[in-house]
């Protein structure tokens, strides 16, 4: 056989049986017109289209996992190859969240907030935890996006995912920054407000009563705590400090019931205890006529301290100490703590709280003065910014609230005292949690600049618990006004009697068999508290059991 025949045979053997495909097949995604049996050909995506679909699916998954990691730290990483990082983060986040929910459920939102606010050191630690936790959370979001994104992405897809990831990081960073701002503002205010704690500890005459921080109920051994609230008017045009607003809040630590006693600023002939350095200069009473008023005790003590430094040896604040001692003697009760607010800061405080709603009961001028004519009649001179408080409900800003609390051009000190108590009560009643949360940094900044209290920071958790009890108690007011007190010649025995009765409400009398009414309990007989101690007395002076008409719920007199 020739070579040609052998070659042809080999070629024929290499040929496969069956029809040979054409060199050029029609595209699979085109309609096949050669066979028209009423059915369409199957649509098959190209390789490029399959890759694009896979990429889009991967980008969507990356978006979803990044969002999931924003909601719950580590949750997105658990579904990627970085699950060994995601699982611990997720467990830590879930554990922390459950612990926080248990704490809130056990104590309630109000108590939890108070307890946390009363622990500045814990808040500082929480701030550090927030910073570290925020950084780790944001890092996990970025790692989730980088791990979950597909390898092949268009520039638009890459830019969109990057932008979305940055937005998710901002969702975590923004509230963390706000929380740190609130913590910083609160802890700074606590440091500023409670610097006066050293005054009470170092004062030789300060009562040592305080909460037992080791006891489950820190107030179990303190049936009643008395807090002096002073409104200080120490302006540039004033010589020294004038305590123009003096109230004593007496709190029943079991029930949370509170009685506010208002002391007139122009009270004369006030008693001085023998253990006070003022006794060396003035004797048993601050008695020199209309020039020696109760609101001048602070300045008198400061002046004596400058002239005789040894008289107030070891006392960091002689004015506050002397004022507390005299007021304690007046009411016949110990004063355990003192809170001082600068009235100049009161305006800023009201503005920071968004104003206050007051039901004005008497028409009053704003910023006015009076002049007296030849016949002795007084006339009102209106200032450049003056106006009038008209009768009825009014929303007052800080400037107006301060004038409403202090105006006495057309009234007297007793009307002003009533209005001051009403403004304080209105501010307490009108605290809106949402408004308080929104304005909190501004509020605590104003408080830190204008408020001092001689409460030790370590006692703040106990005070948080007492505040919760006060919220559930009643608030009554007993002002000493012209109706029950002659400020020029006051009867301090009668004042102590009314204080004693206000703190121990008498039960209803019972009927005997003969039909005569007899009280179930009678006020015990006791001597009037002497001035040898700063007004401490647990017994009642001789008196009837009738309660003063001035004692009433605060809302009833506003």
């Amino acid at each position: 056989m020739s070579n040609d025949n052998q070659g042809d045979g080999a070629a024929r053997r290499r040929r496969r049986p069956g029809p040979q495909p054409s060199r050029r097949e029609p595209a699979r995604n085109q309609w096949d017109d050669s066979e028209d049996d009423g059915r369409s050909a199957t649509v098959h995506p190209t390789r490029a289209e399959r890759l694009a679909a896979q990429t889009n699916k991967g980008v969507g998954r990356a978006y979803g996992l990044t969002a999931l990691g924003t909601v719950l730290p580590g949750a997105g990483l658990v579904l990627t190859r970085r699950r060994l990082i995601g699982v611990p983060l997720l467990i830590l986040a879930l554990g922390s969240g459950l612990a926080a929910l248990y704490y809130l459920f056990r104590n309630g939102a109000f108590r939890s907030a108070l307890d946390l606010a009363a622990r500045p050191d814990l808040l500082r630690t929480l701030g550090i935890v927030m910073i570290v936790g925020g950084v780790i959370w944001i890092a996990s979001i970025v790692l989730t996006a980088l791990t979950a994104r597909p390898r092949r992405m268009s520039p638009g897809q890459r830019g969109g995912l990057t932008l979305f990831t940055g937005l998710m990081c901002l969702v975590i960073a923004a509230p963390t920054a706000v929380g740190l701002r609130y913590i910083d503002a609160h802890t700074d205010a606590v440091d500023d407000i409670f610097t006066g704690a050293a005054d009470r500890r170092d004062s030789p005459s300060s009562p040592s009563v305080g909460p037992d921080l080791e006891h489950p109920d820190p107030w179990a051994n303190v049936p009643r705590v008395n807090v002096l609230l002073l409104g200080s008017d120490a302006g540039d045009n004033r010589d020294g400090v004038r305590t123009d607003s003096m109230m004593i809040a007496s709190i029943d630590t079991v029930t949370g019931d509170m009685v506010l006693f208002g002391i007139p600023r122009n009270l004369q002939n006030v008693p001085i205890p023998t253990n006070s350095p003022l006794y060396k200069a003035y004797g048993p009473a601050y008695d020199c006529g209309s020039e020696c008023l109760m609101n001048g005790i602070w300045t008198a003590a400061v002046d004596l301290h400058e002239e005789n430094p040894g008289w107030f040896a070891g006392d960091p604040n002689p004015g506050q100490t002397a004022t507390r001692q005299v007021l304690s003697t007046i009411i016949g009760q110990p004063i355990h703590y003192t809170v001082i607010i600068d009235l100049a800061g009161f305006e800023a405080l009201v503005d920071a709280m968004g104003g206050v709603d007051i039901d004005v009961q008497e028409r009053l001028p704003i910023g006015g003065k009076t002049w007296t004519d030849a016949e002795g009649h007084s006339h009102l001179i209106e200032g450049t910014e003056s106006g009038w408080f008209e009768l009825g409900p009014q929303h007052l800003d800080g400037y107006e609230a301060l004038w409403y609390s202090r105006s006495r051009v057309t009234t007297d000190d007793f009307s002003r005292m009533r209005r001051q108590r009403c403004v304080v009560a209105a501010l307490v009643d009108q605290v809106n949690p949402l408004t308080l949360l929104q304005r909190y940094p501004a509020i605590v900044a104003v408080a830190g600049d204008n408020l001092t209290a001689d409460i030790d920071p370590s006692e703040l958790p106990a005070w948080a618990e007492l505040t919760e009890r006060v919220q559930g108690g009643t608030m009554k007011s007993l002002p000493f006004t012209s109706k029950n007190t002659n400020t020029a010649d006051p009867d301090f025995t009668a004042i102590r009697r009314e204080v004693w009765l206000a703190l121990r409400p008498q039960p209803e009398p019972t009927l005997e068999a003969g039909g005569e009414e007899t009280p179930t309990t009678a006020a015990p007989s006791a001597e009037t508290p002497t001035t040898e101690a700063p007004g401490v007395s647990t017994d009642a002076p001789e008196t009837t059991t009738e309660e003063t008409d001035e004692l009433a719920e605060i809302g009833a007199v506003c």
Side-chain angles (χ1 to χ4, degrees), residues 435-504:
T435 301
L436 184 62
L437 184 63
Q438 293 173 338
R439 302 173 179 267
Y440 188 74
I443 293 173
V444 296
V446 172
D449 292 339
N450 300 281
L451 189 68
T452 58
D454 57 4
I455 299 174
D456 195 281
S458 64
E459 299 177 359
L460 291 179
W463 279 94
E465 185 172 339
L466 184 59
T467 300
E468 186 179 18
R469 298 178 190 179
V470 170
Q471 289 285 327
T474 61
M475 183 182 295
K476 294 184 178 181
S477 171
L478 174 56
F480 292 100
T481 68
S482 56
K483 294 181 180 180
N484 56 16
T485 304
N486 181 354
T487 58
D489 186 21
D491 184 349
F492 294 107
T493 300
I495 290 176
R496 297 184 190 108
R497 178 184 67 234
E498 294 189 6
V499 169
W500 194 92
L501 290 172
L503 298 180
R504 299 164 180 81

Side-chain angles (χ1 to χ4, degrees), residues 248 270-276 284 322-335 492-493 495-496 499 528-537:
I248 300 163
V270 294
I272 300 175
T274 57
N275 66 336
S276 172
T323 301
R324 186 187 65 244
Q325 288 176 328
V326 170
L327 288 173
S328 179
T329 307
I330 289 173
I331 66 171
Q333 300 292 326
I335 295 177
F492 294 107
T493 300
I495 290 176
R496 297 184 190 108
V499 169
T528 301
T530 66
T531 57
E532 294 181 357
V536 179
S537 173

Side-chain angles (χ1 to χ4, degrees), residues 220-482:
N221 299 320
V222 186
R224 184 170 291 277
V225 61
N226 300 321
V227 183
L228 173 59
L229 309 174
L230 293 177
S232 169
D233 186 14
D236 295 335
N237 60 343
R238 294 276 185 132
D239 183 16
V241 174
R242 296 283 181 176
T243 52
D244 279 356
S245 176
M246 291 169 283
M247 291 184 286
I248 300 163
S250 185
I251 305 170
D252 186 321
T253 60
V254 176
T255 64
D257 294 340
M258 179 193 297
V259 181
L260 280 176
F261 300 104
I263 308 299
R265 60 182 288 278
N266 60 341
L267 204 61
Q268 299 182 28
N269 197 28
V270 294
I272 300 175
T274 57
N275 66 336
S276 172
L278 291 180
Y279 192 90
K280 301 177 182 179
Y282 298 100
Y286 188 50
D287 184 14
C288 54
S290 59
E291 297 300 319
C292 293
L293 306 178
M294 178 63 232
N295 72 333
I297 289 291
W298 186 300
T299 302
V302 172
D303 292 342
L304 283 176
H305 175 62
E306 293 176 353
E307 297 172 3
N308 306 279
W311 285 13
F312 288 91
D315 194 327
N317 198 332
Q320 177 176 321
T321 298
T323 301
R324 186 187 65 244
Q325 288 176 328
V326 170
L327 288 173
S328 179
T329 307
I330 289 173
I331 66 171
Q333 300 292 326
I335 295 177
H336 307 111
Y337 297 90
T338 305
V339 177
I340 304 172
I341 182 171
D342 184 357
L343 293 180
F346 178 77
E347 177 179 343
L349 179 62
V350 174
D351 282 334
M353 295 182 68
V356 60
D357 295 320
I358 294 292
D359 187 5
V360 178
Q361 298 185 3
E362 53 187 336
R363 194 170 186 262
L364 297 168
I366 304 175
K369 296 183 178 180
T370 58
W371 64 278
T372 305
D373 59 22
E375 298 179 356
H377 299 141
S378 296
H379 302 273
L380 179 66
I381 304 175
E382 297 186 11
T384 56
E385 296 183 74
S386 65
W388 289 86
F389 293 109
E390 302 296 341
L391 298 178
Q394 305 285 343
H395 182 78
L396 309 182
D397 60 20
Y399 174 81
E400 294 167 337
L402 181 61
W403 269 110
Y404 181 78
S405 301
R406 302 190 63 192
S407 178
R408 57 189 175 95
V409 172
T410 58
T411 57
D412 54 24
D413 279 325
F414 306 112
S415 172
R416 182 168 74 165
M417 289 168 57
R418 177 189 63 79
R419 284 182 267 117
Q420 289 172 351
R421 295 192 305 276
C422 291
V423 171
V424 171
L427 284 172
V428 173
D429 290 341
Q430 294 169 25
V431 172
N432 183 299
L434 180 60
T435 301
L436 184 62
L437 184 63
Q438 293 173 338
R439 302 173 179 267
Y440 188 74
I443 293 173
V444 296
V446 172
D449 292 339
N450 300 281
L451 189 68
T452 58
D454 57 4
I455 299 174
D456 195 281
S458 64
E459 299 177 359
L460 291 179
W463 279 94
E465 185 172 339
L466 184 59
T467 300
E468 186 179 18
R469 298 178 190 179
V470 170
Q471 289 285 327
T474 61
M475 183 182 295
K476 294 184 178 181
S477 171
L478 174 56
F480 292 100
T481 68
S482 56

Side-chain angles (χ1 to χ4, degrees), residues 60-80 86 89-90 93-94 137 140-142 144-145 148 161 164-165 168-169 171-172:
R61 181 173 180 269
Y63 273 97
L65 293 181
T66 304
L68 181 61
T70 305
V71 175
L72 197 59
L77 286 173
V78 171
L79 301 177
T80 69
L89 284 179
L90 182 59
L94 290 174
W137 197 341
S140 72
I141 294 174
V142 175
T144 301
L161 183 58
F164 180 77
T165 304
M168 294 299 99
C169 293
V171 168
I172 302 303

Side-chain angles (χ1 to χ4, degrees), residues 514-525:
E516 295 182 358
E517 288 188 357
T518 57
T520 55
T521 59
S525 175

